[in-house]
Amino acid sequence: MGKQNIAIDYGKVQQLSADISTSNGGGFDDIVSDYEKLTDNMTKSAGEMFEAVKDQITAEKEVVSAMSKACLQLVGSIDTAAQSFQNVDEAMRNMMNN
C-alpha cells in the first residue's frame, strides 16, 4: 500500500471560511443578540429569583460570545493554514516545472 498525496480543495476551504465569517460568526452573534433581548425585556420584574435568572442569562451570553470569538479564530487559522499549504504547493509545482 503506497502513500497517497493529500488533496486540499482550497476553493472550498476559502468559500466555507468566507461563509462563516460573513454569517455573523456562524450565527453566534444572533444568539448573543437574543440573550440581550431577554435581559432588556426583564426590566419590570424584581426579586432574588429574577436577579439569579438575569445573572445566569448574562453568564450564558458571555460563554456564547467567547465561543463565537474562538470559532472565528479557528476559522481564521484554518484559512491561514490552507493558504500556506497552497503557497507551498504552488512553489513546489513551479520548482518541478522549471
Side-chain angles (χ1 to χ4, degrees):
M1 187 191 293
K3 294 183 181 179
Q4 294 183 354
N5 291 331
I6 297 172
I8 299 172
D9 185 343
Y10 297 110
K12 193 171 206 174
V13 172
Q14 290 172 345
Q15 182 62 47
L16 287 170
S17 175
D19 289 348
I20 291 171
S21 295
T22 58
S23 70
N24 296 325
F28 284 107
D29 287 349
D30 294 336
I31 296 168
V32 170
S33 176
D34 289 344
Y35 275 109
E36 288 171 355
K37 289 175 190 173
L38 282 173
T39 54
D40 290 346
N41 292 330
M42 298 173 78
T43 57
K44 295 183 180 180
S45 298
E48 288 181 29
M49 179 72 152
F50 168 75
E51 290 303 321
V53 169
K54 194 171 181 180
D55 289 345
Q56 181 66 36
I57 289 170
T58 301
E60 288 178 18
K61 181 180 78 171
E62 290 172 7
V63 169
V64 171
S65 294
M67 288 173 54
S68 173
K69 289 176 187 171
C71 285
L72 287 174
Q73 287 176 344
L74 178 61
V75 167
S77 295
I78 290 169
D79 192 44
T80 299
Q83 188 65 44
S84 294
F85 281 127
Q86 188 174 20
N87 292 342
V88 169
D89 282 349
E90 186 65 30
M92 295 302 288
R93 189 177 307 116
N94 289 338
M95 288 174 64
M96 293 171 90
N97 290 333
N98 289 329

